[in-house]
Amino acid sequence: MNGEQEVDVRLTRVPGLLFGGDYNPEQWPEEVWAEDARLMAEAGVNMATVAVFSWSRLEPRPGEYDFAWLDRVLDLLHEHGIAVDLATATATPPPWLVREHPEVRPVDANGTHLDFGSRQGYCPSSPVFRAATARLARTMAERYADHPALAMWHIGNEYADHTLECFCEESARHFRTWLAARYGTVDGLNAAWGTSCWGQHYTDLDQVNPPRKAPGPINPAQVLDWRRFCSDALLECFEVERAVLREVTPDVPVTTNFMSILHGLDYWKWAAAEDIVSDDAYPDPADPTSHVGAALSYDLMRSLKDRPWLLLEQAPGAVSWREVNVPKPAGMMRLHSLQALAHGADGVMFFQWRQARYGPEKFHSALLPHGGVQSRGWQDTLRLGRDLEKLAETAGSRSKADVALVLDWDSWWGLEAPESMPSKRLELKRLLHTWYDRLHALGVAVDLAPPERDLSSYRVVIAPNLYLCTEDQAKNLRAYDGHLIVGPFSGVVDAADQVHPGGAPGPLRELLGLAVDEFWPLADETTQTVRHADGSAGTASVWAEWLRPEGATPIAHYEGGDLDGIPAITRHGRTTYVGCLLEDVRPVLDDVLTRAGVRPVADLPAPGADLPTGADVPAGVEACRREGVAADYLFLLNHGTTAAAVNLREPGTDLLTGRDLRGLIEIGPRDAVVLRTAHEGEK
Ligand code: GAL
């Protein structure tokens, strides 16, 4: 919270890498628990997430608690050497709370109350809900403070998964308080929101509402503030509980499971409020490129606190919430787990331990499937447990990156306003991926960074889009003296979503050495040819701009069509501006990487070549490095379905097989090596 001192609480109770998953013993007769604990121990599980949705079982009536069953669960797990990530159980309010206080139910933008019967059915602004969660968190914390199984607190669950926003009267009041703190007076709000437009001038803050369903497009400044407010309101729910836990159990780290790169919550702010970053990731097995998206999320998770994080949930096989839930083919569950480690995780956990027999997740895979110890899934569980033990020494090792991708939630919210933008097709994730996918294919390590962070440790910084860019953020980018790439539609508006005087790129104009004369979104299914200075041709889709250089040198032009001859990409000093959505960024990116001296994390020359070529790692192979105190770890992951030949310049020992490897090696389909190599300084 504001002004509060940041405390550094680490998870110290479990050595090595964490392995386990969500455990819901309340869904099973007690006879099953003993088998659960025995099989967990057999598989090498050392951590279980417990009580996530247990409020109605722990407090069946107001103030009346039943902890006896949870006591027995925690004791049993502890006897088997399994630590607990203990949820405060507040992810779903119990029926009695909803019955007694129907106002805790969330209300959608149309004014409809969302009823009990699913989960996360609460209004984030409800004082009743918040007070009840604080009470339960305190009761839990006091009861289990000294329990030897307690290793970490888990508040809520995937905040914003089902309930990101609520439009009820209580939320409206809360929103007004938030606005009053931001703008001081109604005049401040009128000025920021530009309410002279469409006759929206307010004379009292009490007249302001959340952006409920209205006849036409809603004021985009109001929508942007609503996005900020919704992220903050949920964060307050988290902080209410965290304050209690910190008071009662100051040495136990606190987390809440994030949802990868999520639009709804500003994870930079959220991560600062927790001790350990943890993530839930569900890449679609049906999408052969989904591991690249996962890699990007994992790099974000590591960057949020610049330290190891935890993969707290993933599916061992199929999920149950897609239209079609494709299982993970042989090897994928292990490979995806190793991938999280490769990107800096210190543990891989799953949803869930034992496959449910009832409820919405009865077809969701689990570490222990319906078929029990006979199943293919169980064999995978055992194998992964053995592998994680072999990799224990990688825990705590760190990653270093020379390249940063800038990500800012305010800007993302502004860019993807639901209405009234030049194009609805210009999406941040797509822009991020145009750069990230190439870096990933090259095996170049990447961090993510907010635009106000000190960027001086990076050789290359890429801002795929900064639609909203404040003067302070621009100042930080101007102060950066490495190689900067700025993507299209950047520097357009200020913090209040008002176009900077003189138009884009606003405060970036001097840095980029250009002005944007006109935005030129491309119609669906149309593309625009881009001619690079070296003569090669590229393609822009979705977005282009009519640029007017003011000192910048064009390094690519549009060819043909209405923009024929207009600069598409420019360079000004060490800053490159790409004014379009460039489908293949190689000509720009590879050149900047070379100029900046950025190298892939491993030299993997093409077989037969004796010098590093700087060429891509073989297609489908992912390369990541973690640096430990005594050794480095090179992860080479073959996501392909055929074997990959890799030429290792540095010898090392594969921790998974114990083999010493050097030179040309083969990595089987969906297999990996984790090479312990000499530490950086000792090579
Ligand atoms: C997550 C959630 C879990 C479980 C899982 C299934 O979103 O946190 O409780 O529902 O999805 O994939």
Side-chain angles (χ1 to χ4, degrees):
M1 270 182 205
N2 286 350
E4 202 179 285
Q5 217 192 340
E6 223 185 290
V7 202
D8 188 10
V9 186
R10 306 285 178 113
L11 198 160
T12 49
R13 296 202 183 175
V14 191
L17 299 170
L18 296 178
F19 176 43
D22 278 45
Y23 180 39
N24 296 307
E26 66 270 45
Q27 295 178 13
W28 296 92
E30 199 155 339
E31 308 82 84
V32 176
W33 300 356
E35 186 190 56
D36 284 328
R38 180 175 57 75
L39 291 177
M40 281 186 200
E42 188 183 323
V45 164
N46 54 16
M47 171 96 120
T49 300
V50 178
V52 177
F53 299 106
S54 306
W55 191 344
S56 61
R57 299 296 298 266
L58 292 172
E59 191 183 3
R61 274 164 289 277
E64 189 185 311
Y65 297 102
D66 176 8
F67 282 116
W69 66 271
L70 188 57
D71 293 350
R72 294 197 294 282
V73 169
L74 262 57
D75 291 349
L76 180 70
L77 291 172
H78 181 62
E79 280 159 27
H80 287 77
I82 297 152
V84 170
D85 163 34
L86 185 58
T88 51
T90 54
T92 295
W96 57 259
L97 185 69
V98 179
R99 174 54 73 96
E100 274 185 22
H101 298 279
E103 73 277 14
V104 302
R105 291 172 305 163
V107 171
D108 72 12
N110 296 308
T112 307
H113 274 96
L114 305 180
D115 219 330
F116 190 79
S118 181
R119 57 181 178 179
Q120 270 189 4
Y122 56 81
C123 158
S125 297
S126 161
V128 170
F129 172 70
R130 290 180 177 199
T133 63
R135 223 170 28 239
L136 182 59
R138 181 172 297 280
T139 312
M140 296 274 289
E142 285 170 352
R143 185 168 193 98
Y144 295 112
D146 298 320
H147 198 288
L150 175 66
M152 180 164 78
W153 286 114
H154 180 110
I155 301 183
N157 190 66
E158 290 192 344
Y159 279 99
D161 179 15
H162 305 293
T163 301
L164 164 64
E165 53 191 0
C166 171
F167 294 83
C168 73
E169 267 315 303
E170 189 65 58
S171 301
R173 274 193 291 277
H174 190 198
F175 185 39
R176 288 175 206 128
T177 312
W178 185 95
L179 291 167
R182 187 173 175 90
Y183 297 114
T185 60
V186 70
D187 287 344
L189 176 131
N190 277 318
W193 282 14
T195 53
S196 307
C197 178
W198 286 9
Q200 294 182 359
H201 188 82
Y202 297 100
T203 49
D204 195 314
L205 279 177
D206 275 350
Q207 297 158 350
V208 181
N209 275 334
R212 295 177 178 138
K213 186 86 187 118
I218 297 176
N219 185 339
Q222 180 180 359
V223 175
L224 173 60
D225 271 341
W226 177 250
R227 290 269 66 83
R228 291 176 171 128
F229 163 77
C230 289
S231 177
D232 285 358
L234 278 174
L235 181 55
E236 283 173 20
C237 292
F238 170 85
E239 287 178 325
V240 162
E241 292 192 47
R242 192 213 52 191
V244 171
L245 299 177
R246 196 147 272 169
E247 181 196 323
V248 184
T249 55
D251 300 329
V252 181
V254 173
T255 196
T256 183
N257 42 349
F258 288 167
M259 297 178 69
S260 299
I261 303 196
L262 183 75
H263 180 251
L265 303 182
D266 180 346
Y267 280 155
W268 296 117
K269 263 192 178 181
W270 276 73
E274 62 179 357
D275 299 308
I276 297 179
V277 169
S278 59
D279 190 36
D280 296 353
Y282 290 93
D284 188 353
D287 171 2
T289 64
S290 64
H291 65 281
V292 184
L296 174 56
S297 317
Y298 298 163
D299 285 341
L300 171 66
M301 293 303 141
R302 189 191 61 248
S303 305
L304 286 172
K305 274 190 173 301
D306 187 23
R307 64 163 83 139
W309 55 282
L310 299 175
L311 180 59
L312 215 55
E313 279 186 32
Q314 59 173 330
V319 297
S320 54
W321 40 262
R322 291 196 171 98
E323 294 279 312
V324 178
N325 298 299
V326 172
K328 288 188 176 169
M332 189 182 272
M333 175 263 217
R334 172 176 178 265
L335 187 64
H336 284 188
S337 302
L338 297 176
Q339 187 195 17
L341 302 180
H343 287 268
D346 268 1
V348 287
M349 314 259 299
F350 291 81
F351 182 86
Q352 60 176 332
W353 161 252
R354 185 186 276 274
Q355 189 168 21
R357 284 192 48 228
Y358 50 78
E361 302 192 300
K362 58 185 178 298
F363 298 122
H364 194 290
S365 58
L367 289 170
L368 182 58
H370 289 147
V373 295
Q374 310 294 332
S375 58
R376 171 179 86 95
W378 178 246
Q379 296 313 312
D380 284 351
T381 300
L382 293 178
R383 182 176 185 204
L384 183 61
R386 289 193 296 270
D387 281 340
L388 293 177
E389 259 171 50
K390 294 177 196 159
L391 299 177
E393 67 176 72
T394 63
S397 56
R398 311 291 289 261
S399 314
K400 248 204 256 145
D402 282 337
V403 178
L405 281 181
V406 172
L407 171 62
D408 180 64
W409 263 267
D410 273 8
S411 184
W412 188 1
W413 292 329
L415 174 72
E416 293 185 16
E419 294 160 313
S420 317
M421 296 299 278
S423 168
K424 285 193 176 185
R425 306 282 181 266
L426 195 64
E427 291 172 345
L428 187 74
K429 277 196 186 171
R430 175 144 182 213
L431 287 161
L432 276 171
H433 270 291
T434 58
W435 301 101
Y436 187 81
D437 292 4
R438 175 63 186 155
L439 292 160
H440 182 265
L442 283 169
V444 168
V446 182
D447 280 348
L448 283 98
E452 47 285 318
R453 179 170 289 179
D454 174 9
L455 300 166
S456 56
S457 65
Y458 299 106
R459 288 170 187 264
V460 173
V461 169
I462 305 170
N465 169 266
L466 268 184
Y467 162 72
L468 185 160
C469 183
T470 64
E471 181 49 53
D472 282 350
Q473 291 169 339
K475 201 163 148 203
N476 195 41
L477 293 178
R478 284 198 296 269
Y480 171 66
D481 70 350
H483 295 258
L484 176 67
I485 300 175
V486 177
F489 202 40
S490 290
V492 182
V493 298
D494 64 13
D497 200 38
Q498 300 200 2
V499 173
H500 286 291
L508 300 173
R509 188 162 176 167
E510 193 190 316
L511 177 67
L512 303 180
L514 56 82
V516 178
D517 212 288
E518 203 166 348
F519 305 127
W520 214 275
L522 302 175
D524 290 346
E525 319 299 337
T526 54
T527 56
Q528 170 70 53
T529 301
V530 172
R531 183 68 61 186
H532 295 284
D534 66 2
S536 64
T539 304
S541 58
V542 174
W543 189 265
E545 288 168 3
W546 188 297
L547 297 186
R548 202 177 59 233
E550 293 174 342
T553 310
I555 57 170
H557 287 88
Y558 296 112
E559 194 174 275
D562 298 329
L563 291 170
D564 190 39
I566 299 294
I569 305 171
T570 59
R571 175 138 320 136
H572 192 228
R574 290 175 155 196
T575 302
T576 306
Y577 182 66
V578 181
C580 55
L581 196 156
L582 193 59
E583 290 195 344
D584 180 356
V585 297
R586 274 181 297 182
V588 181
L589 181 59
D590 292 19
D591 173 52
V592 170
L593 294 177
T594 308
R595 286 163 186 263
V598 173
R599 306 280 311 140
V601 297
D603 279 336
L604 304 170
D610 21 287
L611 288 172
T613 57
D616 315 8
V617 292
V621 174
E622 182 172 16
C624 299
R625 186 185 295 276
R626 291 181 66 162
E627 298 183 7
V629 179
D632 285 358
Y633 305 98
L634 178 60
F635 288 73
L636 296 170
L637 311 157
N638 179 10
H639 292 276
T641 49
T642 54
V646 174
N647 198 3
L648 294 174
R649 285 182 63 80
E650 40 186 340
T653 306
D654 178 15
L655 295 181
L656 293 168
T657 58
R659 285 182 305 154
D660 289 330
L661 300 177
R662 62 167 61 238
L664 197 60
I665 62 161
E666 194 178 86
I667 308 177
R670 295 207 185 94
D671 202 356
V673 301
V674 181
L675 217 60
R676 185 206 287 127
T677 67
H679 192 48
E680 266 286 271
E682 292 153 23
K683 276 177 209 149

